[in-house]
Structures are given as C-alpha cells and as structure tokens.
Amino acid sequence: MKTKKVGSAGRFGSRYGKNLRTNFRKVEDQKTGGWECPSCLKKTLKREAAGIWKCKSCGYKFAGKAYKPS
Ligand SMILES: [Zn+2]
C-alpha cells in the first residue's frame, strides 16, 4: 500500500479531527437541548454554570453534572 501525500500523521489527524468535532457537537447539544426539570417536568432546564442547572419555568435550581443535569 502506497502512502498518500499527507502520510500516516495526516490520516490520523483527519480521524482525530472528526472525533473531536463529534464530541464537541454532542456537548453543545447537551448544553442547549431541553432537559426535563425534576420539579415541574417541563423541558425548560438550562445550564447556568458548570454543574448548576436552573429551570426557566419554575425557577428550580440544583447541582448536577457539568454537561448533564444528573
Ligand atoms: Zn421546573
């Protein structure tokens, strides 16, 4: 098998970059995607800070994980 112009480092870089993008998008989705409030059960939960979650509807605030409420 012949080596491409980019070589083994280039192939690894491409794969690594794709994974990185996928992971980043997953985190972004979790940050903004509607999580269910444990108090009023509406999907209005928002991440206020890393590990702090607040419901926009009832104002319920609690500590969770950095990118997930629980
Ligand atoms: Zn709520």
Side-chain angles (χ1 to χ4, degrees):
M1 186 181 160
K2 276 194 173 180
T3 317
K4 279 184 192 172
K5 212 176 192 176
V6 282
S8 58
R11 269 180 291 161
F12 177 75
S14 163
R15 202 185 303 157
Y16 187 71
K18 197 190 168 195
N19 277 341
L20 210 71
R21 274 201 300 275
T22 309
N23 283 337
F24 183 74
R25 185 148 175 214
K26 218 158 73 181
V27 168
E28 281 293 294
D29 285 351
Q30 283 177 347
K31 238 179 356 186
T32 52
W35 290 94
E36 204 172 74
C37 169
S39 178
C40 67
L41 301 179
K42 284 178 188 167
K43 289 198 171 180
T44 46
L45 220 53
K46 264 201 99 181
R47 202 180 72 123
E48 204 170 66
I52 309 291
W53 295 82
K54 192 179 178 182
C55 175
K56 276 194 285 182
S57 181
C58 69
Y60 182 72
K61 199 170 161 185
F62 67 102
K65 285 178 183 172
Y67 299 111
K68 281 199 290 186
S70 61

